[in-house]
Amino acid sequence: MTTATTRRELFGYTPDKNYYTASKGIASWLLTLDHKRIGIMYLIGVSAALFLAGIFALVLRTSLWKPENALLGEKMYNQMFTLHGAIMVFAFIIPSIPAALGNFVLPMMLGAKDVAFPRLNLCSFYLWMGGTLFLLIAMLTTGLDTGWTFYTPYSIRTQTGVTYATFGVFILGFSSIFTGLNFLVTVNTMRPAGMGWFQMPLFIWALYATAIIQILATPVLAITLLLLMAERILHVAIFDPALGGDPVLFQHFFWFYSHPAVYIMILPAMGIISELISVHSRKEIFGYKFIAFSSIAIAFLGFLVWGHHMFTSGQSVVMNMVFSAITFTVAIPSAVKVFNWLATMYKGSVALTTPMTYALAFILLFGIGGLTGLFLSTISVDRHLHDTYFIVAHFHFVMVGGTLTALLGGLFHWWPKITGRMYNENLGRLASFLVFAGFNLTFLPQFVMGSRGMMRRYASYDPEFQVFHQWSTVGAFVLGAGVTLAYAVLIYTVRYGRPVSGNPFGAASLEWQSSSPPSMHNFDHKVVVNDPYDFATQVYDEELDSYVQRRFVEPSPKPATQPQHS
Amino acid sequence: MNSFIGFLAQTEVEPAPPYQGGSYFFPVQASSFAKDSDWLYYFIFWVCVVFFAGIVGAMVYFVIKYRRRPGVDPEPSSSHNTPLEIAWSVLPSLLLILMFKWGAEGYFDEQVPFDDAEVIRVKAQQYSWLFEYENGDFSNILHLTNMQHYQFKLESADVLHSFFVPAFRQKQDIVPGRYTTTWLQPTKTGTFRLYCAEYCGDNHSNMKTNVVVHATEAERTDATKWDWLGNNGSPEGKIANGDRLFKIKCAGCHSSKGQRMTGPNLDGKFGTQEFFEDGTEQIIDENYIIDSIREPQKKIVKSFGPPNQKMQVFQGELSNEQIGWIVEYIKSIGPGASATAPK
Amino acid sequence: MAVTELADDIHEEQHAHGEFIAHHFDSAQQQYDSGKLGIWLFLVTEILFFSGLFCAYTLYRVHHPEIFVQASTFLDKNLGGINTIVLLFSSLTMAMAVRAAQLVERRTVIVNLVITMVCAAVFLGVKAVEYSHKWDEGIFVRAYFNLREHEVPGISRWLVLISIPFAILLAASVIVAFAMRAKGNKNMYVFYLSLAIMFGGYFLGAVGGKIYMNWKTANDKSKAAAVATLEHSAGGTENHAAADTHEPAKAPVETATAQSVPAAAAGEVLHGPAHLSQDLGTFFSIYYCMTGLHAFHVICGMIALSWLLYRSILGHWRADYYGPVDYVGLYWHLVDLIWIFLFPLLYLIN
Ligand code: HEA
Ligand code: HEA
Ligand code: CUA
Ligand SMILES: [Cu+2]
C-alpha cells in the first residue's frame, strides 16, 4: 500500500510543475503548441466574444422596452441584432465547447500528450483571432445590418461592411474546420492501447460527431461566403436577381451549413451533459451505445433537413414536405439522449453540485427548446410562426439554455482540473439559479408574443406586445447578472480557490489521473486505461480530500478488467 | 414586373388597429386556415406538455429520492436495456408521424387554389405595400371581403419581403425576380395587422400596414375606389389628386418634406435651378417635371446617390391628366407656394 | 504495489524518437497515420468547397442549357487540352517523387519535384493566356460583360500585367541562386535555381500559348471568311445574316450578332440576339469562379512543392519518414482531379 505522502506526490497539487507555471512570458503563451494553453486562450477569447455580444443583447433588449424604439433608432437596432447574432454564433458558440473545453480535455481523456497536429491547433486559434478581428473591423467601420443570415439580395445592396464580415466568417470557418480535423484524427489515431471505440467517454463521441459536421459542412459555408464576396465586389450574378441570379440558392447554401452548424453547437454540449450527469450521480451512464450512436445519427440526419428554414421561401411543395418529414426524425436521437440521462440518475447518488445544477437546467431548457422545434418542423404551424419571436425563443432555448448552460456546467466541472482549485459551491449554485431563472424570464414570454404575431428583427413594434417585451428585458438583465456572477466565481477561484488534488469529483475518465493542474505533458505517470463510467474504481481518500484509484489504496488491486458496454 | 412604386415613408406607418383579443397564444382567427393551424399547434403543445411534465417529474423525483448521502453507495442497477430504448424511440415517433401528417395536410390545403379566387397583386418594395385589385383600383391598405376567395400574386421590386397577417396564420416570402403566390379566405370582418416578415433593411419594422375585411363587396369597392376629388377640374382638386398620386407613386423615393431619400427631395424645388450629371443645368418647370416622369434617365441630378439606382419609367403608367396633377402638386410645394397655394 | 514500480514515469516513453518524430506521437507509424488521415480529411473539405460551385454550375446549366453550349465555344479546347495533359503528366511525376522519397533516393525526388513544379507553372502560363485573351474581348463576369472584337493582335496588356509578378519572382530567384553559389552554398543554389526554372516554366506556357493563340486567330480569320463566302454563295443559313456583311479580307465582326469567336471554326457562329450575350456573362461568372479558385489551388500547390523541394535538398526523408511528400502528393492529385472535372464541364459542352 502506498503511503499518503507518495499518493500526494502522485496525485497531489504540484504548483511548481504544471502547465501554466512551466514557462513564463507572453510569448510562451502566444507561441505555445500545448493544447491546454491553446484551450485556455480560446476560452478567454470566446468569453470575450460572449460578453461583447451579450452587451449588445442587453442594449437591444433595453431598446425594446418601449414600442416606438426611442433608444436606438432603426438603423442602430438592425446593427445591434446582426452583430449580436453574428458574433454569438460565429465567434462564440461554434468554437466555445470544442475549441476551448474540448481542446483542454480531449487529449487528456485519451491519455495523450497533445492533439495530433499541435501547430494546426495554434493556427486554428489565430484564424479565430483573425476572423473575429474582421468582424470587429466590420463593426467599427460601417457596421453590419444584414442579420446573421446574410440573405441576398439585401446583403449585396447594403452599404454596410458585409464584405469584411463575410471574410471574417470565412476565416472563422477555417478555424472551425481545423479544430474538427484535428480532433477527428486525434481520436482515430491516438487512443491509448486498451481503449476501443466503446470505451471512450461520451464527450469524445460527441466531439467526434461534431468534428464530422465541421469537416463536411463548413467548406460549403466557405464557398458560399466567397461567392457572396464575389457578388459584392465583382457582381458575378450568381445570387443577384437583378442580374439573373437566384437569391433562394443562397438560402439553400447558407442553411446547408447553418443547420448542421446548430448541431455543431449542441452536440458537444450534450457530450458534456453525459459526463456531468454520470459523474455527479456516481452512476454508470445508461445506454452508452445509444447515446454514442445518437450523436452520430444527429450528425448525419442534420445534413438532410436544412430546408426547414425555408418553408415560406417559395420552394416547391414536395421539398417542403420532405424536409419537414426528415426534420422530425432528428427529434428521436435527441429524445433518446434525454431519456438516457434521466435513466442514469435512477438509483444513483445524485449530488447537487454546481455542474450538476447546470446539467439539470440543461435537460429542462434544452427539452423546451427542442420540443418547440417540433412546432417549427410542422409546416402549416411554421408558416404562422416563421420569423416571429417564437423562433427567437426556440433558438435561444437550445443555444443559451442548451449550449451556454452546458459550457458553464463543463467549466465548473473541469475547473478544478484546469486551475487546481475548487470554486465556491454556494456562489456557484446561486449563479446557476440566476441563469436559470433569468433565462426563463427572458425567453418564455417570447414564445407567447411570437405566436401572437410579434415579428423578429423589428426595431419598433405594436403596443400590444409591450408587456411581454418588458418581462423579457428584465429577465435579460437577471440572466446577464447570472452569467457575470458565474464568471466572477470562476475567475475568483483561479487565485483564491481552495487547492484540490487530482480528482475531487471521483470521475473515472483518464483526464482525472493527472495532477491538478496537469503538468506540461499532461501525465507524470503512465495512465491506466479503465472504464470511464466505472466509478467503483475510484475511492475517496480523506487525507487528500480527493478520489484516487482503488488499486493504489487496496493491497491487492483488482485485475484491470476490460471495460465493456453494450 | 416592377411596374410600380409604392409609398409609406417612415413617418407614415399605418397606425395599428386596436388589439382584437384572441386566445392566450394567438390573435383572433380570421381566415379559413386559422382553425386547423391552431388546433395542430395545441395538439403539439399538449404532447410536449405531457412529455415535459414526465421529464420534470422523473428528474425531480430522482434528485430527491437518490440524493447523495454520505457513506451510501449507489444501488447497483442495470446500465442498459434495449427494449426500453426501443420503446422510448418508437413511441414518440408515432406522435411525430401524426404531427407531420397534419402539418403537411394543412399546408397542402393552403396551396390548393380556389377556382373562383379574385387575384390581387401584392407589390412589395422597400418599406411599402401596394395592392392592385382586378378592377384596376389600388391601395396601400389591403381591402378584402369576408368569406370571399383570394389569390395573392406577390412580387418584389428590390429585396426579400414577406407577406404576413397573423390573424390569417399565413405567411409567404416575396422573392425579387419571380412571383410567389398564396391563397386565402377571410372568415371574420375587422381590421388586422399586416407585417413584412422578412428582414428587408433599415425600415423593415415599419413596413406594416392593415388588412380590412369588409362585410360586403360593396363596402369594399367603396373603400378602394378612387374618390377623384379633382373631377370638378378645380385647381384645389388637381392638387389634391396630385397629392394622393404622389404618395402612392413617388413618395417611396422622393420626399415632399425636405429629407433626402432615394431620389431628390421635391419640396421647394419648383422653379429652382438644377444641375445634371451631363454638366447641363435647367430651371425646374412643368416641362422638366413631365419629362422626368416619362423618361427619368434623360437628366440625372448631379452627384445624387449611387449611380446604379435609376428611377423607373412612368411612361404609359400614368395618363397625361394624372401627370398634370402631379405637376400641379409639385408646384404647390414649390418655394413661395404658401403665397400662391390655394387655401 | 511498490511506488517505484508505479511511478514508471514519463521518461520511459522517451524511447527512440527519430529526428522528425514529434514528441506527442508514440511512433513514426502513428505520426504517419495521423498525417495521412489528416490530409485525406482536408481533401474532403476541399472537394466540398468546390462542390458548392459545382452545384451552382449544375443549377444554371439546367436552367440555361443553350447559354452553356454557346459559351463553351468561347473556350479554346486545345489550350484546355494541353493544360489537362500537363497536369496529368505532373501527377505522374509527383507520384514518382513520392515513390522516390519512400526509397530515399534524394536525386530522383528532386528531379521529379522540379518537373512537377514546372508543369504547374506551365499550366498557369497557359491559363494566363486564356484569361488575358478573354479580357481583351471584354469577356468578364456578368456585370462587366461587354463582348467586343479582339483588337489586340500582339502582346496583350492583360497578359503583361499577369506576367509581371512571375517575372519579378524569376529574376529574384536567379539573383539569389547566384548569390548562393557565390557563397558556396550548393544546396541553396540548387534550390533557388529550381525555383527559377519553375518560374521559367510559366513563361514557357505563356509564350507558347500566346503563339498558338495568335496563329489561331489569324487562321480563324481566313477560315471564317472563307466559310462566310462559301455559305453565302450556297444560299446561307438562317444564322448567317450577319455573314452577309462580311468583307472577305476583314475580321468577321461587323454587327453585334457576330463576334470574333475563337471557336468560329467550321462556321459555328451561333450568336443569338443581343440579350443572350449578357446571359453569357453568367456562364463566365461561374467559369472565372471555378477556374480562378482552381488556379489559386495550383499556386498553393506550387508553394507546398517548393517547401518539399527545400526539404528534399536538405535530405530530410527517411524510410520511415516521408509523410510530407506523400501528403502534398495527395493534394496535388486532387488539384489535378478537379481540373479533370472542370475541363469537360467548361470546355467540352456540346
Ligand atoms: C443549438 C442550436 C439548435 C438546435 C439543437 C435546434 C434543434 C432543432 N430545431 Fe432549431 N433553430 C436554431 C437552433 C437550433 N435548433 C436556430 C439558431 C434557428 C433559427 C435561425 C434563424 O432563422 O435565425 C432554428 C430554427 C429552426 C427552424 C426554422 C424555423 C423558421 O425559421 O421558420 C426549425 C423548423 O423546423 C427548427 C427545428 C428544430 C428541431 C426539430 C430541432 C431538434 O433537433 C430538436 C430535438 C430535441 C427534442 C425533440 C427535445 C428533446 C426530447 C424530449 C424532451 C423527449 C420528447 C420528444 C418527443 C416527443 C419527440 N429550428
Ligand atoms: C450563442 C448564441 C446566442 C446567445 C448566447 C444569445 C444570448 C442572448 N440573446 Fe440572442 N440571438 C442570437 C444568438 C444568441 N443570443 C442569434 C443568432 C440571434 C438572431 C440574430 C438575427 O436575427 O440575425 C439573436 C437574436 C436575439 C434577439 C432578437 C432580436 C430581434 O430579432 O429583433 C434578442 C431579443 O431579445 C436576443 C436576446 C438575447 C439575450 C437577452 C441573450 C442573453 O443570453 C445574453 C446573456 C449574456 C450577457 C448579458 C453577457 C454577460 C454579462 C454582461 C455583459 C455584464 C453586464 C450585465 C449585467 C451585470 C446585467 N437575441
Ligand atoms: Cu419588407 Cu421587411
Ligand atoms: Cu435548422
Side-chain angles (χ1 to χ4, degrees):
Chain A
M1 182 172 173
T2 51
T3 63
T5 34
T6 27
R7 287 207 302 277
R8 183 176 296 284
E9 208 169 88
L10 275 175
F11 304 106
Y13 175 54
T14 48
D16 47 326
K17 308 205 300 190
N18 66 47
Y19 70 98
Y20 66 75
T21 51
S23 53
K24 282 216 158 48
I26 194 88
S28 78
W29 280 86
L30 293 181
L31 300 178
T32 182
L33 296 180
D34 179 37
H35 69 99
K36 298 182 288 306
R37 287 191 165 193
I38 295 174
I40 298 288
M41 292 196 294
Y42 248 124
L43 179 62
I44 295 169
V46 297
S47 302
L50 167 68
F51 273 72
L52 178 64
I55 288 169
F56 289 158
L58 294 182
V59 171
L60 73 85
R61 282 277 16 129
T62 313
S63 167
L64 288 169
W65 185 261
K66 288 211 173 119
E68 63 275 18
N69 175 29
L71 186 66
L72 287 178
E74 265 76 12
K75 278 193 179 183
M76 208 47 207
Y77 181 87
N78 296 344
Q79 303 234 344
M80 246 352 136
F81 74 70
T82 303
L83 290 167
H84 164 70
I87 294 179
M88 279 292 191
V89 169
F90 297 115
F92 164 64
I93 196 167
I94 287 179
S96 64
I97 295 180
L101 265 181
N103 233 329
F104 197 101
V105 172
L106 178 129
M108 298 186 67
M109 277 186 157
L110 295 173
K113 281 183 250 172
D114 209 322
V115 290
F117 308 118
R119 270 191 216 98
L120 194 66
N121 202 12
L122 185 66
C123 171
S124 160
F125 173 70
Y126 280 108
L127 287 177
W128 182 87
M129 295 266 274
T132 309
L133 189 72
F134 271 96
L135 278 181
L136 293 182
I137 290 177
M139 180 182 115
L140 295 175
T141 51
T142 41
L144 181 68
D145 72 342
T146 58
W148 79 282
T149 48
F150 299 114
Y151 271 15
T152 53
Y154 184 70
S155 56
I156 305 172
R157 304 285 147 71
T158 175
Q159 308 287 324
T160 57
V162 178
T163 311
Y164 286 128
T166 41
F167 190 61
V169 174
F170 178 82
I171 298 176
L172 286 171
F174 279 96
S175 155
S176 173
I177 290 176
F178 289 165
T179 305
L181 197 152
N182 220 335
F183 284 2
L184 211 143
V185 173
T186 308
V187 173
N188 261 310
T189 61
M190 296 182 69
R191 270 175 292 121
M195 186 189 278
W197 286 94
F198 295 107
Q199 286 89 47
M200 295 194 311
L202 287 165
F203 185 38
I204 294 198
W205 269 102
L207 287 174
Y208 194 80
T210 310
I212 294 176
I213 311 179
Q214 286 175 308
I215 288 174
L216 295 184
T218 320
V220 178
L221 176 75
I223 190 68
T224 311
L225 296 176
L226 209 60
L227 286 177
L228 180 56
M229 281 183 264
E231 192 73 71
R232 277 182 71 88
I233 298 168
L234 302 171
H235 303 285
V236 295
I238 288 174
F239 300 134
D240 190 344
L243 295 171
D246 183 356
V248 179
L249 180 66
F250 177 86
Q251 299 180 21
H252 280 291
F253 277 9
F254 182 83
W255 291 116
F256 182 84
Y257 166 75
S258 290
H259 182 81
V262 309
Y263 297 119
I264 295 180
M265 307 169 194
I266 202 70
L267 280 172
M270 290 167 155
I272 288 186
I273 299 305
S274 300
E275 300 298 319
L276 298 194
I277 298 259
S278 62
V279 170
H280 295 272
S281 309
R282 288 193 70 68
K283 191 77 202 331
E284 174 162 6
I285 190 87
F286 191 86
Y288 175 93
K289 276 196 173 159
F290 283 88
I291 298 189
F293 280 129
S294 65
S295 291
I296 304 292
I298 292 176
F300 174 71
L301 292 171
F303 277 101
L304 307 175
V305 305
W306 76 88
H308 67 208
H309 295 271
M310 301 165 60
F311 284 155
T312 64
S313 71
Q315 70 185 355
S316 77
V317 175
V318 179
M319 265 163 106
N320 272 352
M321 300 235 182
V322 170
F323 281 125
S324 164
I326 305 176
T327 302
F328 281 110
T329 63
V330 189
I332 299 300
S334 312
V336 164
K337 281 186 197 271
V338 170
F339 294 139
N340 277 308
W341 291 328
L342 288 177
T344 301
M345 285 169 23
Y346 174 67
K347 292 198 173 170
S349 166
V350 182
L352 278 183
T353 53
T354 307
M356 189 64 175
T357 55
Y358 280 111
L360 298 178
F362 176 94
I363 296 184
L364 298 186
L365 301 179
F366 172 73
I368 297 179
L371 289 169
T372 51
L374 302 177
F375 293 78
L376 304 177
S377 13
T378 308
I379 314 178
S380 65
V381 177
D382 182 66
R383 283 176 69 87
H384 173 62
L385 295 176
H386 175 70
D387 270 356
T388 62
Y389 262 74
F390 196 95
I391 311 288
V392 175
H394 157 70
F395 68 71
H396 282 92
F397 261 88
V398 274
M399 298 207 292
V400 184
T403 309
L404 182 59
T405 305
L407 173 69
L408 289 173
L411 281 178
F412 275 95
H413 178 73
W414 277 293
W415 211 241
K417 174 76 12 202
I418 295 173
T419 64
R421 290 168 189 269
M422 193 52 131
Y423 52 85
N424 182 317
E425 197 72 81
N426 285 332
L427 280 176
R429 275 190 288 236
L430 174 67
S432 145
F433 175 76
L434 278 181
V435 169
F436 182 75
F439 178 82
N440 281 305
L441 190 56
T442 315
F443 293 107
L444 280 177
Q446 293 188 358
F447 283 122
V448 185
M449 65 175 152
S451 59
R452 284 190 179 196
M454 172 68 211
M455 301 314 303
R456 67 190 281 202
R457 296 171 172 177
Y458 261 27
S460 54
Y461 54 90
D462 292 337
E464 72 227 38
F465 302 114
Q466 189 176 13
V467 206
F468 301 105
H469 273 300
Q470 293 190 339
W471 280 116
S472 184
T473 303
V474 172
F477 278 91
V478 177
L479 171 58
V483 174
T484 312
L485 180 60
Y487 266 92
V489 171
L490 291 176
I491 293 168
Y492 180 84
T493 307
V494 175
R495 281 300 289 271
Y496 306 106
R498 171 171 57 85
V500 286
S501 339
N503 189 2
F505 298 124
S509 45
L510 303 188
E511 79 272 26
W512 298 100
Q513 290 186 19
S514 71
S515 58
S516 290
S519 64
M520 205 65 192
H521 293 304
N522 293 352
F523 300 99
D524 297 318
H525 56 93
K526 228 185 185 136
V527 289
V528 183
V529 176
N530 56 303
D531 183 346
Y533 297 108
D534 183 3
F535 298 105
T537 56
Q538 312 292 322
V539 290
Y540 185 66
D541 184 312
E542 280 196 15
E543 230 171 324
L544 292 173
D545 186 21
S546 167
Y547 286 81
V548 291
Q549 288 198 22
R550 192 178 289 279
R551 55 197 210 99
F552 294 141
V553 183
E554 284 176 358
S556 58
K558 285 193 270 187
T561 47
Q562 272 295 320
Q564 193 47 256
H565 297 278
S566 50
Chain B
M1 64 178 306
N2 284 3
S3 56
F4 65 94
I5 279 281
F7 76 91
L8 256 164
Q10 191 193 326
T11 43
E12 298 177 60
V13 183
E14 201 59 43
Y19 187 58
Q20 317 244 327
S23 63
Y24 184 68
F25 285 115
F26 288 108
V28 285
Q29 301 176 335
S31 84
S32 54
F33 308 129
K35 241 198 193 76
D36 290 348
S37 163
D38 289 4
W39 187 88
L40 189 52
Y41 179 99
Y42 281 111
F43 171 76
I44 303 172
F45 179 77
W46 286 113
V47 169
C48 291
V49 166
V50 169
F51 272 93
F52 189 66
I55 290 169
V56 177
M59 197 172 101
V60 171
Y61 179 74
F62 292 161
V63 167
I64 295 172
K65 176 88 191 291
Y66 303 115
R67 68 183 174 279
R68 184 166 299 180
R69 298 186 187 81
V72 183
D73 269 350
E75 304 168 46
S77 67
S78 160
S79 72
H80 55 92
N81 184 334
T82 310
L84 189 62
E85 302 276 357
I86 292 174
W88 67 37
S89 313
V90 172
L91 203 78
S93 306
L94 300 177
L95 292 167
L96 295 181
I97 292 173
L98 281 182
M99 291 176 198
F100 166 69
K101 179 166 175 291
W102 288 329
E105 279 172 3
Y107 166 65
F108 209 69
D109 277 351
E110 294 176 14
Q111 302 303 307
V112 179
F114 305 110
D115 296 334
D116 57 342
E118 176 187 341
V119 178
I120 297 180
R121 296 167 71 99
V122 179
K123 297 177 165 184
Q125 192 198 17
Q126 264 166 331
Y127 326 132
S128 66
W129 297 94
L130 188 70
F131 305 98
E132 280 187 13
Y133 307 93
E134 269 181 355
N135 62 7
D137 285 339
F138 47 91
S139 63
N140 298 107
I141 293 180
L142 177 58
H143 291 276
L144 303 174
T145 309
N146 198 12
M147 302 310 284
Q148 289 303 104
H149 292 161
Y150 295 99
Q151 182 195 1
F152 296 96
K153 277 192 104 165
L154 309 136
E155 57 193 283
S156 161
D158 34 47
V159 297
L160 294 170
H161 303 277
S162 187
F163 172 90
F164 178 43
V165 181
F168 294 163
R169 316 284 191 274
Q170 177 65 302
K171 186 179 287 129
Q172 179 61 52
D173 286 5
I174 309 173
V175 183
R178 63 168 79 155
Y179 290 101
T180 49
T181 53
T182 181
W183 308 82
L184 205 68
Q185 182 190 22
T187 55
K188 198 177 179 70
T189 56
T191 305
F192 310 104
R193 206 58 162 146
L194 189 158
Y195 295 108
C196 171
E198 191 64 69
Y199 178 68
C200 54
D202 288 351
N203 274 319
H204 166 57
S205 62
N206 287 328
M207 189 166 160
K208 47 199 174 195
T209 180
N210 289 339
V211 189
V212 183
V213 179
H214 299 275
T216 63
E217 193 65 28
E219 269 181 42
R220 178 170 87 108
T221 22
D222 243 22
T224 54
K225 195 174 66 202
W226 271 73
D227 183 11
W228 295 112
L229 296 163
N231 281 348
N232 56 17
S234 69
E236 297 92 337
K238 284 183 179 167
I239 291 172
N241 279 347
D243 182 13
R244 185 161 179 188
L245 264 179
F246 185 89
K247 276 191 183 144
I248 290 188
K249 295 282 180 184
C250 321
C253 303
H254 296 282
S255 170
S256 55
K257 298 193 171 62
Q259 304 107 328
R260 181 196 168 102
M261 293 168 67
T262 314
N265 157 46
L266 296 178
D267 179 29
K269 268 287 157 71
F270 191 82
T272 60
Q273 191 90 357
E274 190 66 276
F275 301 88
F276 303 107
E277 280 292 339
D278 57 10
T280 56
E281 53 191 87
Q282 189 177 344
I283 300 264
I284 300 190
D285 57 9
E286 277 103 339
N287 280 336
Y288 169 70
I289 296 176
I290 293 171
D291 277 355
S292 303
I293 294 174
R294 289 196 176 139
E295 292 174 78
Q297 266 74 282
K298 240 168 86 181
K299 301 256 172 194
I300 304 223
V301 173
K302 195 162 180 67
S303 57
F304 197 91
N308 55 354
Q309 282 190 7
K310 289 188 189 123
M311 176 170 149
Q312 82 169 89
V313 181
F314 282 90
Q315 178 83 297
E317 168 102 350
L318 293 166
S319 69
N320 287 347
E321 191 185 18
Q322 288 172 325
I323 293 180
W325 293 333
I326 293 179
V327 172
E328 289 302 318
Y329 170 69
I330 293 174
K331 262 164 105 175
S332 79
I333 56 172
S338 46
T340 55
K343 268 266 87 194
Chain C
M1 194 183 278
V3 184
T4 44
E5 195 186 318
L6 265 173
D8 52 355
D9 69 4
I10 210 78
H11 306 296
E12 190 216 4
E13 285 180 27
Q14 306 290 359
H15 47 77
H17 256 104
E19 192 183 346
F20 295 114
I21 314 295
H23 82 278
H24 60 286
F25 287 118
D26 292 339
S27 63
Q29 186 61 33
Q30 193 186 33
Q31 168 158 327
Y32 177 77
D33 290 346
S34 301
K36 191 100 175 185
L37 181 60
I39 194 74
W40 274 111
L41 290 172
F42 178 70
L43 297 188
V44 169
T45 67
E46 287 285 8
I47 291 172
L48 283 156
F49 191 64
F50 275 95
S51 73
L53 284 171
F54 282 110
C55 278
Y57 173 91
T58 314
L59 206 84
Y60 283 95
R61 183 158 172 189
V62 167
H63 286 306
H64 311 280
E66 73 293 345
I67 290 173
F68 276 63
V69 171
Q70 209 191 18
S72 78
T73 61
F74 283 80
L75 300 175
D76 188 287
K77 293 186 182 65
N78 293 335
L79 284 184
I82 290 171
N83 258 352
T84 311
I85 292 166
V86 166
L87 272 196
L88 274 175
F89 181 69
S90 77
S91 253
L92 178 71
T93 51
M94 187 70 231
M96 277 156 50
V98 174
R99 180 82 194 127
Q102 222 165 345
L103 301 173
V104 205
E105 291 168 3
R106 179 161 165 264
R107 258 191 90 80
T108 328
V109 180
I110 295 174
V111 170
N112 277 304
L113 281 180
V114 173
I115 298 178
T116 313
M117 288 157 64
V118 170
C119 286
V122 169
F123 177 91
L124 287 183
V126 174
K127 206 83 212 129
V129 172
E130 290 192 71
Y131 274 13
S132 59
H133 187 80
K134 288 194 192 57
W135 296 344
D136 285 333
E137 286 180 332
I139 301 178
F140 295 103
V141 296
R142 167 88 187 218
Y144 304 105
F145 195 79
N146 174 25
L147 197 55
R148 58 171 178 269
E149 190 193 346
H150 186 177
E151 298 140 349
V152 203
I155 301 292
S156 137
R157 257 186 310 159
W158 285 115
L159 187 57
V160 173
L161 213 68
I162 305 175
S163 303
I164 287 174
F166 288 93
I168 294 173
L169 286 169
L170 174 61
S173 19
V174 169
I175 293 169
V176 177
F178 282 97
M180 286 299 164
R181 194 164 78 156
K183 267 172 64 181
N185 190 338
K186 179 139 179 296
N187 280 345
M188 285 304 100
Y189 168 63
V190 174
F191 176 64
Y192 285 102
L193 198 65
S194 307
L195 287 191
I197 295 175
M198 169 172 85
F199 294 123
Y202 167 84
F203 290 96
L204 181 68
V207 172
K210 190 68 200 167
I211 291 173
Y212 163 80
M213 220 51 201
N214 286 352
W215 168 79
K216 186 180 160 219
T217 325
N219 213 27
D220 273 354
K221 275 178 190 167
S222 42
K223 207 162 158 192
V227 170
T229 31
L230 204 104
E231 299 207 344
H232 187 52
S233 53
T237 46
E238 7 83 75
N239 55 27
H240 287 93
D244 291 351
T245 60
H246 288 169
E247 302 215 8
K250 271 181 96 189
V253 179
E254 229 72 280
T255 69
T257 52
Q259 307 293 347
S260 114
V261 182
E268 288 176 359
V269 197
L270 280 168
H271 290 270
H275 78 264
L276 213 82
S277 93
Q278 262 295 309
D279 282 347
L280 286 176
T282 302
F283 173 87
F284 281 100
S285 290
I286 293 174
Y287 168 84
Y288 284 121
C289 287
M290 290 180 123
T291 55
L293 208 59
H294 178 261
F296 174 75
H297 279 80
V298 172
I299 294 173
C300 291
M302 284 162 73
I303 296 170
L305 286 167
S306 309
W307 171 70
L308 281 190
L309 181 71
Y310 177 82
R311 296 193 61 181
S312 309
I313 290 173
L314 294 183
H316 280 181
W317 316 129
R318 305 274 181 279
D320 67 347
Y321 180 72
Y322 60 92
V325 192
D326 203 9
Y327 311 149
V328 175
L330 284 172
Y331 170 81
W332 191 250
H333 293 321
L334 181 85
V335 172
D336 188 21
L337 188 73
I338 290 174
W339 179 258
I340 303 282
F341 276 98
L342 290 181
F343 177 58
L345 285 180
L346 296 170
Y347 289 73
L348 305 178
I349 309 172
N350 268 322

